[in-house]
């Protein structure tokens, strides 16, 4: 008496990708409900199981669906928007501005559906995402029938779905509660990267990941620049830094890990972190060569990811698997490392383990969900077939198969594609909507293309300042008295400097372009001599985008760049309509008051003659923190005896241009 | 009154890849006979030209066909045979033995037809080949309707189509005469590589290339090992060496150029050499990263090639173009180098220039042959499309298009594929023949898999000796007299050494496995002390494969390897059935006689006691040279007073085992 299955896959070259890399040819897989119940040689399985539906695989390969271990699926909609650029120009000049303008729940649903269509076509059954409005991404993914780990992004910068990181954290909490336990979706929290978060954000995210027992998805050590900065600022590389913030107490999925050393590899292995290696993205952005062989040697679970389609520019895991093998060989100067079977394992069972869902998917084994694909390995670009060595089967798939050779895809026991036809998505309609959106993005960018900001960014090295500026400014009539008051015991002076500042303001026809300030800072020593000179460019927004209380300014559009060229260069490059020069003497204190740091500037504006001004300043990524600092700044004003002085709400350049 | 064309391509995004990278959208191309007669905006061309056949491209991309700048097309039949191996193991363990056994005119025709099918499907219209029986390759290519530069291989080793290089040279001459002037085929001569040829071969090939004004196709500086050897042996890198042999006076196509310096780049540019960069092959074999950006900066024409499908493992130029961009970015740590347009140019116009056929193909320009392809850039993996920047069109093709997006292909004005259907090849029949052949190769290799040679090669470092051994051996009864006679003025002694030799012969069950000799050479100085010890392994063929005259032995199956392990290791590794040890005293002279070099060995076999033997030896790659040396060796015997001595035709081990 045979047992009853729902479906029997027969006449297949079955590559199980299980612990022994068992192959069955001809092999059979039995599926019941959402799960695999038997795998083996056809002659044996057919004796034990019967089913109403028999799927004849026609001698093609039957294998587990591929696991895309790191991506940002909605960015299908930004594919090919900007290429061959340095990371900062690409990110700050194109991706971030477009995302701020366009990313919405509707955007991410459309982009996710497109990504599902592309991934199903290319044999991906599971992906690991990180983006905004992750609730809508999860919904679109579940609607398409795919399996995914969906990580809600948290960053210190304002995001399309959050004005401040506190909003993202609150969103993530609700998102995780809603999706936890879903048959296809594993919700996760995704603090974007160490450099784009704060220790507080990392700790909070780790706490949430542990509270709900969900993965924590994060970018780690993608570029050498990131590691260098971390060493300079924290005196340690990236992995020890995130460990210090408690991140490694969660189920971590670390994307990239290009620039990590053996010590960091061992640390990650010790906490069973999963890695996503993203070869196309690392090559295209010139990020470097990840130490894949070393990670594997040290027992890490290394998956393979496409990264976002805006930096790849597709979601083709067959390409990534091939590149994972190629790049490991080339970068280690050894053609025997990461052989075909290993590369394919990374994209299946090991990839699922890296996402902490190895118990659900990644191999054809009884008890796992029925996530499987059929691949035709007999087209002209993949013929003939050699059978001398079991490795030949993996070599065919890894070195010569194309994603378009995938003919059928099943996830969780449900068909998503039969004979190249998608069953859960309306591709034509999705493509139409994508075309319409692309036209809007084209129009938006063509308009911005000539902006000062984009030109500033095109120079490289620019960076956005903290989102919230706390600033109080008053006219001062008796500066010498104020200098005396700085010696009060409540004010702890941690640094004091004297500058002569020469500012050139560039003004443009279109005031919405903002103003560009070229500042030369001459540092003056105790003898009154110039000790040091530095220059930098600052793009000031035309007006504050909002105010919190009377002292806190939101200045989201403030960009800084080192001015490595002369003011003449910038004059010729930006072609300002008008130019205004200001010369001033600045006494600058870095102080600590009630355990909080502030800058205090006492300015004497000499040319044009405008008298003295006192500024108390601080910047932060957190709105809550900004409110607290504004209160302290008011206290400081009183303490310095200028609590009643005339408040000035304009910048110098505003005063000068509105006269 | 409009001019009459044969065909008008309309409603296309026309990427001309011409000198100005003109794009026309919507654009039109007019074809008459085998050539393009007009290219431009649809509105303009349609006013000037009419045609009976209008091809509506449906808004897809119309562009020049891709140029595969370096390949070995018949090796489609060896695709996936052996992967993830070190170059020597792959080449000497698998490729060369299989090629010796299977490569024939029929083999190369089938392999070429398969390669044409694959390449047409993926948008390649021109390729540059190097293999054996190139006449048959040219015929199969012309039958398929593709354009190709076909290079007949010449090597110092015996080849499937030549027992000695003189045969290859003669073949090449006839081949070039036959095909010169063909509308699709450009015949060429292909000295395989500097390390696999002799100065004489290189000079002769260069002479032929100049005589017939055809390209000379050669592998250059593929590995660091090759360059290191060249520096050690010739005191110069590879490009100066081939220049010295006159190679650069021909129209050179240099494949790989991974390890060349700026001086070599400038030398190659000066002679207008074309380069083929082969990223997949270089990555998969861990050969290194070619200095592509430096070559481009110095004005070299750099094309892109797939290399042979046994080391890639396919002929997909879309992949290669993408990798050319990726690898250049990653290896130079700069994401802006080799942008999409440059990569695509390398695979079209610049590639054709690299093959010295830039006047015929590579761009859509009036006067060039109609070699063009239609590519659908609107499938889900390549949507949406941005139009903000002309670069977007190249980025789509380079970073997200798949070879399977090519829908139509025309070469020389003739359709080879319409809407994915091949028109000149019977794919089903070709695949059937390939399957049958693959089964034979599988059987052959399974039988050889356990051979001593394959195990020897698996150890690495083994190399084949020269093909022809000249050897005369006689018994000597008065060794002291002979030593005196060595002082005759006709014999110029260039070196003299005294060795104690300890040989361990490993014998196997199957005599066709040959015998393995582990030799320890103890160099004895004038005081009779051991000055130096070295060990090496030699695999001796069971019997000579043939004899030329009475003294010349053909010993093709002789392999040498440094013995870096102990004799115990080799005993355990090879598991010989029987082991025989021989100890002897060897006086060894390196002499010059009539301007020809010989080794003379005077052996005293001490254990077992067998008396004295005199050997005169020389090795060469040339049969003609072998004949001449055999004559000189006989003269030497007489000169040394042993012209009448008992000749010995067996090796010591043969004498010992046949006793």
């Amino acid at each position: 008496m045979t047992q009853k299955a729902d479906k029997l896959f027969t006449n297949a070259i079955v590559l199980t990708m299980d612990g022994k890399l068992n192959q069955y040819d001809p092999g059979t897989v039995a599926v019941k409900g959402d799960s695999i119940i038997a795998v083996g040689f056809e002659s044996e399985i057919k004796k034990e199981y019967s089913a109403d539906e028999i799927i004849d695989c026609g001698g093609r390969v039957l294998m587990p669906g591929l696991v895309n271990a790191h991506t940002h699926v909605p960015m299908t909609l930004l594919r090919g928007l900007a290429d061959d650029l340095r990371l900062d120009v690409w990110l700050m000049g194109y991706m971030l501005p477009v995302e701020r303008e366009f990313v919405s729940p509707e955007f991410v649903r459309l982009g996710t559906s497109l990504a599902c269509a592309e991934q199903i076509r290319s044999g991906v059954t599971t992906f690991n995402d990180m983006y905004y409005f992750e609730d809508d991404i999860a919904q679109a993914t579940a609607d398409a029938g795919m399996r995914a780990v969906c990580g809600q992004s948290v960053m210190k910068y304002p995001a399309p779905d959050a004005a401040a990181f506190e909003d993202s954290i609150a969103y993530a909490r609700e998102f995780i509660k809603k999706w936890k336990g879903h048959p296809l979706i594993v919700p996760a929290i995704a603090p974007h990267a160490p450099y784009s978060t704060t220790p507080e954000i990392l700790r909070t995210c780790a706490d949430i990941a542990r509270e709900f027992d969900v993965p924590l998805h994060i970018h780690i050590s993608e570029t050498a620049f990131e590691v260098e900065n971390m060493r300079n600022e924290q005196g340690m590389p990236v992995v020890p830094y995130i460990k210090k913030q408690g991140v490694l107490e969660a189920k971590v999925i670390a994307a990239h890990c290009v620039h990590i050393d053996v010590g960091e590899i061992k640390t990650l292995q010790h906490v069973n972190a999963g890695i996503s290696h993203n070869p196309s993205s690392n090559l295209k952005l010139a990020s470097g060569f990840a130490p894949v062989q070393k990670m594997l040697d040290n027992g890490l679970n290394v998956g393979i990811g496409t990264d976002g389609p805006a930096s790849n520019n597709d979601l083709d895991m067959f390409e990534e698997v091939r590149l994972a093998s190629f790049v490991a060989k080339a970068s280690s100067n050894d053609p025997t490392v990461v052989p075909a079977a290993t590369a394919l394992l990374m994209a299946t069972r090991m990839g699922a383990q890296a996402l902490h869902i190895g118990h659900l998917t990644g191999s054809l084994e009884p008890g796992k969900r029925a996530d499987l694909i059929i691949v035709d390995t007999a087209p002209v670009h993949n013929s003939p077939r050699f059978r001398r060595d079991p490795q030949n089967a993996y070599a065919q798939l890894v070195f010569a198969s194309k994603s378009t050779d995938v003919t059928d895809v099943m996830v969780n026991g449900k068909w998503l594609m039969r004979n190249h036809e998608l069953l859960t998505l309306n591709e034509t309609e999705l493509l139409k909507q994508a075309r319409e959106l692309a036209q809007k993005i084209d129009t938006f960018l063509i308009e911005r293309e000539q902006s000062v900001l984009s030109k500033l960014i095109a120079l490289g090295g620019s960076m956005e300042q903290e989102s919230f500026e706390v600033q109080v400014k008053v006219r001062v009539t008796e500066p010498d008295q104020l200098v005396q008051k700085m010696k009060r015991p409540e004010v702890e002076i941690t640094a004091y400097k004297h500058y002569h500042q020469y500012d050139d303001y560039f003004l443009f026809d279109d005031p919405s372009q903002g103003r560009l300030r070229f500042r030369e800072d001459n540092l003056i020593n105790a003898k009154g001599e110039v000790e040091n000179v530095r220059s930098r460019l600052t793009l000031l927004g035309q007006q504050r985008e909002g105010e919190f209380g009377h002292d806190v300014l939101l200045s989201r559009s403030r960009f800084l760049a080192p001015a490595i060229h002369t003011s003449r260069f910038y004059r010729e490059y930006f072609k300002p309509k008008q130019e205004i020069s200001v010369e001033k003497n600045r006494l600058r204190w870095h102080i600590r008051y009630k355990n909080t740091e502030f800058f205090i500037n006492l300015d004497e504006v000499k040319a044009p003659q405008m008298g003295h001004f006192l500024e108390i300043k601080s910047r932060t990524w957190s709105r809550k923190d900004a409110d607290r600092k504004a209160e302290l700044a008011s206290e400081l004003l009183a303490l310095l005896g200028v609590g009643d002085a005339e408040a000035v709400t304009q910048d110098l350049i505003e005063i000068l241009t509105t006269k």
Side-chain angles (χ1 to χ4, degrees), chain A residues 463-471 536 538-540 544 552-560 588 596-599 616-622 625-626 629:
Chain A
M463 50 179 287
E464 192 172 6
Q465 279 193 332
E466 287 90 344
S467 313
F468 300 99
E469 177 166 55
V470 178
Q471 179 184 318
R536 63 181 181 175
T538 306
L539 179 64
L540 307 145
R544 277 79 174 194
V552 186
L553 303 175
L554 177 69
S555 58
R556 193 181 291 183
S557 56
R558 194 167 173 130
F559 281 81
L560 277 179
R588 182 174 177 81
T596 306
E597 295 182 349
F598 290 92
F599 283 102
I616 301 178
K617 284 188 168 188
S618 185
R619 298 190 73 88
T620 177
W621 294 105
S622 160
D625 190 39
K629 284 180 171 167

Side-chain angles (χ1 to χ4, degrees), chain A residues 66 185 261 364 442 457 460 467 534:
Chain A
L66 301 176
I185 305 299
D261 61 29
L364 303 186
D442 261 342
I457 284 162
S467 313
R534 64 169 189 180

Side-chain angles (χ1 to χ4, degrees), chain A residues 67-71 222 255-258 275-292 295 302-308 311-314 316-331 338 343 346-347 398:
Chain A
V67 176
N68 183 353
H70 175 65
T71 184
E222 180 172 0
H256 297 301
C257 296
V258 176
I275 310 297
S276 177
H277 169 49
N278 312 296
S280 280
S281 172
N282 295 164
L283 290 170
K284 183 156 181 270
L285 298 173
S287 306
F289 302 104
V292 170
M295 292 196 266
V302 185
I304 299 175
T306 57
D307 207 347
S311 64
N312 182 307
N313 293 352
D314 56 29
D316 188 331
M317 279 293 291
F318 278 85
E319 265 185 47
E320 296 306 319
V321 173
R322 179 154 48 246
L323 278 181
S325 175
F326 279 6
V327 169
K329 292 172 190 305
S331 65
V338 187
M346 291 163 71
V398 171

